[in-house]
Amino acid sequence: NAGVMQNPRHLVRRRGQEARLRCSPMKGHSHVYWYRQLPEEGLKFMVYLQKENIIDESGMPKERFSAEFPKEGPSILRIQQVVRGDSAAYFCASSYDPNSPLHFGNGTRLTVT
Amino acid sequence: GQQVMQIPQYQHVQEGEDFTTYCNSSTTLSNIQWYKQRPGGHPVFLIQLVKSGEVKKQKRLTFQFGEAKKNSSLHITATQTTDVGTYFCASTTDSWGKLQFGAGTQVVVTP
């Protein structure tokens, strides 16, 4: 009974490169959420997706960031032209329905050099 | 903006002591969830409270939802080193359940 799977666990990118973060939700979950966490800080909501649909992207910067959850395959959070300020832990979570508790993955720790 | 405020931000506790962390909102909450994140780990769901005045217990942890559904508390008795971590409260802002997290209470336990 695999939980939420995120990869890679650690990702190092130089300024200006692209970062792709992957998330496979728990089996049976069709709701996916991405959160960002800076060191010693809380979790900031970025985006909420269902299969093939973005439900709420109000927490995601309008430029350079995009997210998708295709019919087949994992959800992808894409950051183009990364800057040092993008360095953070990015957590994906999934749920059975919008009001169920979230199950988090282990996160991807992005470091921009 | 942030919907829920958590206090204290940091909690240093002697092993064996009790402590309480609080979660407050200026608006009525539909529900409150609590999560625990160990250092270097990911948030793990602990409990969800829905009803006004609801109290739930998990071993040494007692969770309470205020009568006005504007605040919640987590009380830990006889703290152990395994209680180390950051405790977050979270609540939904919309009918579809987007969770907004508080800033968390970071708990350090000294033996």
Side-chain angles (χ1 to χ4, degrees):
Chain A
N1 187 16
V4 177
M5 304 299 291
Q6 284 189 254
N7 68 81
R9 191 75 186 267
H10 298 275
L11 182 61
V12 179
R13 283 287 177 267
R14 290 201 185 100
R15 276 181 300 171
Q17 290 185 320
E18 178 180 288
R20 279 186 177 238
L21 288 61
R22 296 173 189 79
C23 170
S24 295
M26 274 185 75
K27 190 176 181 180
H29 288 188
S30 59
H31 301 261
V32 167
Y33 312 80
W34 285 92
Y35 285 82
R36 173 175 147 146
Q37 186 176 40
L38 292 169
E40 308 294 319
E41 291 191 12
L43 295 145
K44 303 298 183 191
F45 169 81
M46 297 182 73
V47 62
Y48 162 40
L49 311 104
Q50 289 185 46
K51 281 288 185 183
E52 300 185 273
N53 291 310
I54 295 175
I55 307 301
D56 186 332
E57 55 183 349
S58 59
M60 198 159 65
K62 294 205 178 345
E63 296 183 359
R64 303 189 298 108
F65 286 73
S66 63
E68 62 177 11
F69 189 15
K71 189 176 180 181
E72 301 291 338
S75 174
I76 306 285
L77 178 67
R78 183 182 177 206
I79 312 173
Q80 294 177 290
Q81 299 174 327
V82 296
V83 300
R84 289 226 171 96
D86 296 332
S87 295
Y90 292 83
F91 288 98
C92 170
S94 72
S95 67
Y96 176 74
D97 62 46
N99 292 307
S100 294
L102 301 188
H103 295 259
F104 282 84
N106 287 327
T108 293
R109 273 113 181 124
L110 172 65
T111 302
V112 179
T113 60
Chain B
Q2 195 165 290
Q3 188 183 15
V4 289
M5 301 295 291
Q6 284 190 254
I7 51 172
Q9 188 176 2
Y10 298 99
Q11 181 78 58
H12 290 255
V13 191
Q14 196 84 23
E15 194 173 9
E17 291 184 340
D18 303 351
F19 76 91
T20 304
T21 179
Y22 300 90
C23 183
N24 299 313
S25 172
S26 58
T27 58
T28 302
L29 304 171
S30 58
N31 63 68
I32 197 89
Q33 297 181 20
W34 286 89
Y35 292 76
K36 177 183 177 181
Q37 184 177 23
R38 293 182 185 274
H42 61 278
V44 175
F45 172 74
L46 294 176
I47 206 99
Q48 176 169 279
L49 305 169
V50 179
K51 299 176 185 173
S52 168
E54 188 171 12
V55 178
K56 287 188 177 179
K57 291 190 176 185
Q58 286 180 353
K59 296 182 180 177
R60 296 179 293 102
L61 277 62
T62 301
F63 303 84
Q64 188 165 5
F65 203 5
E67 292 290 341
K69 299 181 75 172
K70 288 185 175 182
N71 56 72
S72 180
S73 64
L74 160 58
H75 181 78
I76 300 182
T77 58
T79 304
Q80 299 177 358
T81 53
T82 53
D83 295 323
V84 164
T86 301
Y87 293 82
F88 294 99
C89 64
S91 186
T92 53
T93 57
D94 300 301
S95 59
W96 55 258
K98 164 183 159 182
L99 266 186
Q100 298 272 39
F101 283 77
T105 293
Q106 187 176 337
V107 175
V108 175
V109 180
T110 50

